[in-house]
């Protein structure tokens, strides 16, 4: 088995993926037509061409506008999971969605949540891939809207909803504004994460202290992105010591920023931070979970051994309960051992075929 095939076939989790950002251009165009939403273009090759991060945020919110009926939500969740299971052996995902973006067009929370759950269950039946949901605060709408959103999530509890997140442009909603929303969520037993220190924002807009505020003030057990943290060695050390997982995006919205992203991932790994390779907004950024692993592992010069360890350790960052986490870990270990038993083909990296016996079971991602 060659290096790229190994990385594609590796069993994976994805813990940072936005459902509105998972739609293939053809799906978004079809839903827009069905629901009378005007798009700036119906050319699938141009729909996801972004000028910058803010242009991307505008399109991802527009994508949400195209999803209206319960069947639409079910379709989006189904296509996200089944596509990733097929193309990159995704086994488990925790998926973001912004309830307030859909409410703007009059969709009520139970419609979206029950539609999504229907799609998750169908994907599980057809592809054996499991999904959970993370309602996410659009920080640009301010703390009051965020608190209302969290109250609604709590009023309509579903087992599949396991935590809350926060996204959007960071300097338009720094973490400390949202302490009350996060307190409400934690009191209801929800896990917490937030986007922080995204490298599309300057250090002034998204300073390293935002990561610490997310941990200390919001009670986040993991962080989405985190790259700008690298500017503060003391805070890097703290996050390393506390094994705080960073769900990093392999790809970004504009290609001119791509090398910076890979450089940052390289530096995060050198600093022994726990990283989990994720897709963020896969077709919008020109990736899928298999491609994300292939790109990052190639860029970081990881052996197949190290890539397999990363996939295994990423399970520690999930919000599964202990029983399900151990079950997923042993499923991954079995699959990896079977992959290892296949003969290596000559590639530039074929010297590094994984030895599953050497895979530790308790190490956080990035610390080997
Ligand atoms: N919403 C979807 N993707 C996002 C990202 N990478 N950053 C902030 N908000 C987002
Ligand atoms: Zn994101």
């Amino acid at each position: 088995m060659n290096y790229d095939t190994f990385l594609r076939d590796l069993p994976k989790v994805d813990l940072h993926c936005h459902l509105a950002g998972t739609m293939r251009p053809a799906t978004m165009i079809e839903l827009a037509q069905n629901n009378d939403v005007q798009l700036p273009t119906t050319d699938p090759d141009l729909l996801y061409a972004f000028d910058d991060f803010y242009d991307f945020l505008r399109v991802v919110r527009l994508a949400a506008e195209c999803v209206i009926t319960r069947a639409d939500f079910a379709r989006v969740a189904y296509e996200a999971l089944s596509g990733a299971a097929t193309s990159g052996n995704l086994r488990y995902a925790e998926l973001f969605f912004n309830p307030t973006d859909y409410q703007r067009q009059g969709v009520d929370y139970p419609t979206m949540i029950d539609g999504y759950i229907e799609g998750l269950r169908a994907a599980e039946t057809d592809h054996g891939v499991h999904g959970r949901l993370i309602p996410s605060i659009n920080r640009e709408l301010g703390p009051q809207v965020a608190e209302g959103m969290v109250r609604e999530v709590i009023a309509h509890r579903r087992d599949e909803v396991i935590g809350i997140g926060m996204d959007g442009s960071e300097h338009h909603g720094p973490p400390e504004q949202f302490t009350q929303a996060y307190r409400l969520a934690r009191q209801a037993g929800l896990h917490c994460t937030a986007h922080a220190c995204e490298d599309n924002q300057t250090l002034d807009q998204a300073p390293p202290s935002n990561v610490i505020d997310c941990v200390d003030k919001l009670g986040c057990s993991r962080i989405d992105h985190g790259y700008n943290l690298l500017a503060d060695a003391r805070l890097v050390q703290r996050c390393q010591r506390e094994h705080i997982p960073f769900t990093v995006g392999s790809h970004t919205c504009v290609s001119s920023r791509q090398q910076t992203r890979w450089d940052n991932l390289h530096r995060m790994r050198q600093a022994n931070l726990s990283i989990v390779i994720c897709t963020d907004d896969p077709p919008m950024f020109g990736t899928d979970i298999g491609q994300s692993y292939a790109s990052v592992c190639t860029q970081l010069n990881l052996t197949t051994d190290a890539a397999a360890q990363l996939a295994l350790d990423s399970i520690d960052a999930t919000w599964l309960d202990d029983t399900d986490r151990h079950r997923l870990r042993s499923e991954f270990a079995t699959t990896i051992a079977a992959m290892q038993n296949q003969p290596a083909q000559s590639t530039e990296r074929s010297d590094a075929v994984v030895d599953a016996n050497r895979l530790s079971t308790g190490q956080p991602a990035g610390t080997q």
Side-chain angles (χ1 to χ4, degrees):
M1 179 180 290
N2 72 32
Y3 186 72
D4 276 358
T5 311
F6 184 91
L7 295 175
R8 280 211 165 263
D9 288 359
L10 204 54
K12 300 174 192 78
V13 302
D14 191 348
L15 306 181
H16 177 174
C17 176
H18 302 261
L19 279 161
T22 63
M23 278 185 267
R24 290 175 298 118
T27 300
M28 180 168 161
I29 291 163
E30 197 182 316
L31 292 180
Q33 273 162 359
N34 294 348
N35 294 320
D36 288 328
V37 177
Q38 291 304 312
L39 299 179
T41 172
T42 51
D43 180 340
D45 295 330
L46 297 180
L47 196 58
Y48 295 161
F50 312 115
D51 296 336
D52 56 22
F53 177 59
Y54 300 96
D55 189 35
F56 152 70
L57 284 178
R58 191 182 49 72
V59 174
V60 84
R61 305 285 176 227
L62 181 62
E65 271 181 45
C66 302
V67 190
I68 305 268
T69 68
R70 177 176 163 141
D72 295 342
F73 286 92
R75 173 180 175 179
V76 170
Y78 181 84
E79 288 185 1
L81 284 188
S82 58
T86 308
S87 65
N89 202 13
L90 181 76
R91 308 313 303 151
Y92 174 73
E94 295 175 2
L95 300 159
F96 292 114
F97 68 104
N98 296 97
T100 51
D101 288 359
Y102 301 102
Q103 277 157 344
R104 276 200 305 230
Q105 66 248 18
V107 182
D108 60 21
Y109 182 74
T111 298
M112 59 186 98
I113 196 74
D114 291 332
Y116 277 146
I117 290 170
E118 190 182 314
L120 299 184
R121 290 187 182 155
E124 188 176 326
T125 303
D126 293 353
H127 299 275
V129 54
H130 298 262
R132 295 287 178 270
L133 297 167
I134 309 177
S136 193
I137 292 166
N138 176 351
R139 66 201 322 155
E140 292 165 38
L141 304 180
Q144 267 168 7
V145 174
E147 286 161 35
M149 186 211 98
V150 173
R151 284 183 211 283
E152 185 131 46
V153 170
I154 295 167
H156 301 278
R157 279 307 283 267
R158 302 285 188 273
D159 288 345
E160 288 81 358
V161 173
I162 51 173
I164 63 155
M166 178 159 69
D167 56 40
S169 125
E170 207 165 328
H171 74 291
H172 289 117
E176 77 260 9
Q177 289 184 358
F178 299 91
T179 47
Q180 178 58 10
Y182 274 77
R183 188 175 299 122
L184 287 172
R186 286 199 315 277
Q187 281 166 352
L190 292 162
H191 296 278
C192 296
T193 186
H195 285 46
C197 280
E198 200 162 349
D199 53 10
N200 299 308
Q201 313 261 283
T202 65
L203 278 178
D204 282 345
Q205 294 171 330
S209 59
N210 275 4
V211 163
I212 301 305
D213 284 350
C214 289
V215 173
D216 291 344
K217 296 186 180 156
L218 305 187
C220 291
S221 59
R222 66 185 193 220
I223 299 292
D224 306 305
H225 298 295
Y227 326 104
N228 285 356
L229 179 76
L230 290 163
D232 187 326
R234 201 175 45 86
L235 297 185
V236 167
Q237 269 179 16
R238 175 180 163 189
C239 292
Q240 191 266 333
R241 237 184 2 257
E242 296 180 12
H243 298 308
I244 294 165
F246 292 87
T247 64
V248 297
S250 63
H251 286 67
T252 184
C253 51
V254 283
S255 55
S256 58
R257 306 269 325 155
Q258 190 54 55
Q259 194 56 50
T260 305
R261 173 64 52 86
W262 285 331
D263 291 346
N264 282 334
L265 298 188
H266 188 64
R267 292 175 61 208
M268 287 174 89
R269 189 134 163 117
Q270 301 270 61
N272 266 343
L273 291 170
S274 301
I275 65 165
V276 178
I277 299 174
C278 298
T279 54
D280 207 354
D281 300 276
M284 291 194 174
F285 295 173
T287 189
D288 58 49
I289 190 68
Q291 184 59 47
S292 289
Y293 263 73
S295 306
V296 174
C297 294
T298 303
Q299 290 293 325
L300 272 51
N301 224 0
L302 297 192
T303 62
T304 50
D305 200 347
Q309 188 72 57
L310 196 55
L312 261 179
D313 287 339
S314 298
I315 297 171
D316 292 342
T318 67
W319 289 335
L320 288 167
D321 64 27
D322 286 350
T323 310
D324 287 342
R325 192 161 348 104
H326 288 134
R327 190 178 300 137
L328 195 61
R329 234 189 140 95
S330 65
E331 182 195 312
F332 273 37
T334 306
T335 307
I336 291 165
M339 290 168 68
Q340 182 239 336
N341 285 332
Q342 295 183 21
Q345 284 173 5
S346 69
T347 68
E348 72 275 26
R349 287 167 212 271
S350 63
D351 54 318
V353 171
V354 71
D355 176 356
N357 295 327
R358 281 186 278 134
L359 297 175
S360 83
T361 51
Q363 223 176 359
T367 58
Q368 71 268 21

